[in-house]
Amino acid sequence: MDFPNIRFDMIWEYKELFLHGLWVTLSLTALGYLGGIILGLILGMGKLSKRKWIFYPCKYYVDFFRGTPLLVQILLIHTALIPTIFGHSLGYFVSGVTALMLNCGAYNAEIIRAGIQSIEKGQMEAARSLGMPHSLAMKTIILPQAFRRMVPPLGNELIALLKDSSLVTVIAANDLLYAGKVVSGAYFRFWEPYITVAILYLLLTFICTKIIAYVENRFSNSYVPSSRRKIFSFGRSA
Amino acid sequence: MIKIEGLHKSFGELEVLKGIDYEINEKEIICVIGPSGSGKSTFLRCINMLEEITAGSVFIDGVKVNDPKTNINDIRKDVGMVFQQFNLFPHMKVLDNITVSPRKVKNMDAKEAEILARQLLEKVGLADKANAYPEQLSGGQMQRVAIARALAMKPRVMLFDEPTSALDPEMVKEVLDVMKQLAYEGMTMVVVTHEMGFAREMCDRVLFMDQGLLMEEGTPAQIFNHPNHERTKAFLSKVL
Ligand SMILES: Nc1ncnc2c1ncn2[C@@H]1O[C@H](COP(=O)(O)OP(=O)(O)OP(=O)(O)O)[C@@H](O)[C@H]1O
Ligand SMILES: [Mg+2]
């Protein structure tokens, strides 16, 4: 086997392309995830509804987006759905964000539904017995508690979405992976560009992991703020 | 004040309440006793519609609770409930547990709600726990906070579902003492309990429920000393 002589100088030449790709990947992920959280919240609640005309559409939506490949969804949205609705393409970015959001929403819906269901029934009953309407009880009593339990799986979802966002290169989005493809096409070299792409993805997922760990830590098992907990462990009262 | 007419409740095929009629007057203390599974909790929970009523009706101050036109949230403001498992909100400090409902449901301003909450904590003997979280309290303390939380809505009736059953024996008294104080202050109370001492000492009427029916009803002296039904006798001989 001939080991190639690595030339990272050619990457440096294209640094702006990679930086732009990094930026596109980050914005696609961030917007897709944000939309996915909001959509997931709506769908997750919908899947908890007793009303069939709310439950079934939400269920079928989730089943569809979890049961088909994201790659297919991206192509369907970019080449079929959006041109049909608007008469022309709205560009890769709109299609990309839309696809990622719709897909992420389906996964988040399951996480959010499970999180809400994991809260003891007595919490809702206590809130309702105090005269709170269902929506208020959900907002002030159930969701804040459920949210803590959702943080780890929602964090996994963020990292998965970050990596899956690379699929938008098929619709010629100039994201991070696309930068690698351009460079490899220009030089007919493959090690340097794709290793660079891999390292940059790794860097992004690493940063995400750190952020998630921080959030998880802030919402650890106990509701007592940690400084107070320390005081208590010395046996003094607050 | 509370009127219950032909109350039926089924869970699917299972008929849990099989037609209950009863009337509770203002300032009465009613104790509900009976064997496990007889429908005591279900009966209580039908009064504030935590369970949907299958047939019959419940009136509170003449307002039909299970009328689709009735806003159940308005009814519940007047009906406090205390649960066996306390059901405090673990993500809120004790003070916020008590103020959240007056603030969000009655739009009371924060200052006023806090003053009210501190008064209630004083009353249940937990003035020093305002800033603690539920997980830092003992069972007895949690249940007393739960009582304060219910009282913060200034209810006209309080429903208690086995408020001391989840407590260690040494904590039962502190909760019962708070309930006694409430009773002396003239609160209307419906208490499902296994504390026969409390039933005997505090209640105006005792209801004995068995298999979804109100088998027997009377003053504590009647029920405990001269029960009529065989079932009542059998139950009492087991618990007394
Ligand atoms: N949500 C529910 N779904 C189905 N069955 C139920 C439900 N809640 C209660 N039941 C059934 O209804 C019957 C009466 O229950 P209930 O809790 O009212 O009894 P109880 O008198 O309070 O008993 P305990 O003393 O054990 O609390 C039981 O057979 C119980 O299994
Ligand atoms: Mg019960």
Side-chain angles (χ1 to χ4, degrees), chain A residues 53-121:
Chain A
W53 60 273
I54 296 179
F55 172 83
Y56 278 106
C58 293
K59 176 183 151 45
Y60 291 140
Y61 177 95
V62 171
D63 288 351
F64 177 81
F65 277 93
R66 289 185 8 136
T68 53
L70 176 56
L71 190 52
V72 175
Q73 294 163 15
I74 292 170
L75 289 170
L76 206 53
I77 287 165
H78 183 67
T79 59
L81 184 71
I82 289 186
T84 305
I85 295 176
F86 295 95
H88 53 87
S89 166
L90 298 180
Y92 75 87
F93 194 80
V94 173
S95 301
V97 168
T98 307
L100 293 179
M101 174 184 92
L102 295 181
N103 181 272
C104 184
Y107 283 93
N108 287 348
E110 284 302 286
I111 293 170
I112 288 167
R113 179 195 56 76
I116 292 172
Q117 271 181 331
S118 76
I119 303 301
E120 303 67 40
K121 240 178 85 220

Side-chain angles (χ1 to χ4, degrees), chain A residues 123 125 128 130 140 222-223, chain B residues 45 76 88 91 101 135:
Chain A
Q123 292 288 309
E125 292 184 348
R128 298 306 305 274
L130 289 163
T140 58
S222 175
Y223 286 100
Chain B
R45 293 158 57 87
R76 285 178 179 148
L88 290 184
H91 58 304
S101 208
E135 65 189 86

Side-chain angles (χ1 to χ4, degrees), chain A residues 93-184:
Chain A
F93 194 80
V94 173
S95 301
V97 168
T98 307
L100 293 179
M101 174 184 92
L102 295 181
N103 181 272
C104 184
Y107 283 93
N108 287 348
E110 284 302 286
I111 293 170
I112 288 167
R113 179 195 56 76
I116 292 172
Q117 271 181 331
S118 76
I119 303 301
E120 303 67 40
K121 240 178 85 220
Q123 292 288 309
M124 180 55 93
E125 292 184 348
R128 298 306 305 274
S129 79
L130 289 163
M132 291 190 199
H134 185 274
S135 54
L136 177 64
M138 190 52 90
K139 198 175 94 200
T140 58
I141 307 300
I142 307 299
L143 284 180
Q145 296 183 57
F147 176 66
R148 303 181 156 235
R149 300 189 189 174
M150 296 172 195
V151 169
L154 285 179
N156 291 341
E157 208 45 55
L158 174 60
I159 288 171
L161 188 72
L162 178 66
K163 291 185 291 180
D164 289 348
S165 73
S166 61
L167 289 170
V168 297
T169 28
V170 294
I171 54 172
N174 46 4
D175 70 330
L176 189 48
L177 178 59
Y178 183 81
K181 277 171 85 169
V182 167
V183 175
S184 68

Side-chain angles (χ1 to χ4, degrees), chain A residues 121, chain B residues 11-12 14-17 34-43 45 51 84 161-162 192 194 209:
Chain A
K121 240 178 85 220
Chain B
F11 292 105
L14 181 71
E15 194 176 24
V16 176
L17 299 179
S36 183
S38 57
K40 306 181 296 293
S41 299
T42 309
F43 171 70
R45 293 158 57 87
E51 300 292 355
Q84 184 174 350
D161 191 358
E162 304 198 30
V192 174
H194 290 297
M209 282 187 62

